[in-house]
Amino acid sequence: MINVEKSYPVGPSRYWVLRRINLEIREGEFITIMGPSGAGKSTLLAILGMLDGEFKGEYYFLDTPIHKLSVKQRAEINKKYIGFVFQQYHLLDGLTVAENLDIPLSYRDIRASERQALVGDTLDRFHIVGKKDLFPSQLSGGQQQLVAVARAVIASPRLILADEPTGNLHSSQGKEIMDLFKKLNEEGTTIIQVTHNENWAAYGNRTIKLVDGWIS
Ligand SMILES: Nc1ncnc2c1ncn2[C@@H]1O[C@H](COP(=O)(O)OP(=O)(O)O)[C@@H](O)[C@H]1O
Ligand SMILES: [Mg+2]
């Protein structure tokens, strides 16, 4: 990112959420983003994840100038390379747990039988086999968060962006997720997480602090 900035209009002036963000992240890194509530962490993650294209400055992802792409082109890169754990989960309410997990696989060139097997393995790995036919509204917050993490990793994305991915989990469950991220990172996956938890922050190899939209 080169001089990335983001603001919202407020009356006649603007409210700045991200200020002159210069950031280089290499493939294979495990980055932790920390900072107070309202600092711009989720906004930064949304831009990194191609979900928000309304920003100033330049953003290159695998040498592609993202700031020059259309919404559709950005969405294609998101689907191909990125697994995203949203702070508010964003599971699809009309789909079951198993169907939610299948979505990222449906973007890949994978046979239906193999997709089913991957969904089965993932349900197993996250200890949610018994929940596979339930809808998100029938799950607790913690269970929804587990499904959200499972959905982000199931298609083996090259980049995982995780916005407070363990915020609603018990510490033992949180550790399981962090150990999974660590393993995926050791296998080559780039990870960028937002967390307030010092223990989970230490899983990363570099911490970026955001305060009032500035990298400090
Ligand atoms: N759509 C929006 N319109 C105006 N302000 C917004 C909008 N979305 C986010 N903000 C503001 O941007 C700031 C940063 O938000 P966010 O990135 O969610 O912070 P964090 O994730 O660090 O808590 C907050 O002050 C928030 O109120
Ligand atoms: Mg946030």
Side-chain angles (χ1 to χ4, degrees), residues 8 15 17 35-44 87 163:
Y8 293 101
Y15 176 77
V17 180
S37 185
K41 306 181 298 297
S42 294
T43 305
L44 179 58
Q87 194 169 8
D163 201 350

Side-chain angles (χ1 to χ4, degrees), residues 136-210:
S137 61
Q138 297 171 302
L139 304 176
S140 72
Q143 289 164 344
Q144 290 183 48
Q145 189 151 46
L146 280 181
V147 177
V149 175
R151 182 181 61 177
V153 305
I154 192 167
S156 303
R158 269 166 79 175
L159 171 61
I160 293 173
L161 296 165
D163 201 350
E164 305 192 30
T166 62
N168 251 308
L169 302 180
H170 298 297
S171 59
S172 61
Q173 283 177 317
K175 185 168 185 312
E176 266 189 68
I177 297 302
M178 293 310 301
D179 287 339
L180 170 64
F181 283 170
K182 187 176 172 205
K183 178 168 167 282
L184 293 173
N185 178 246
E186 284 165 0
E187 291 166 2
T189 309
T190 308
I191 298 183
I192 305 175
Q193 67 165 349
V194 170
T195 185
H196 291 291
N197 182 315
E198 295 286 347
N199 293 329
W200 302 162
Y203 277 73
N205 64 295
R206 178 152 70 104
T207 297
I208 293 166
K209 287 225 167 74
L210 261 188

Side-chain angles (χ1 to χ4, degrees), residues 25 32 35 40-41 56 62-64 66 71 87 94 104 112-114 117 128-129 132 167 175 187 189 193 204 207 210:
I25 296 174
T32 302
K41 306 181 298 297
K56 287 206 177 109
L62 298 172
D63 295 330
T64 302
I66 302 303
V71 173
Q87 194 169 8
S113 60
E114 198 179 326
I128 48 176
V129 176
K132 73 180 169 65
K175 185 168 185 312
E187 291 166 2
T189 309
Q193 67 165 349
T207 297
L210 261 188

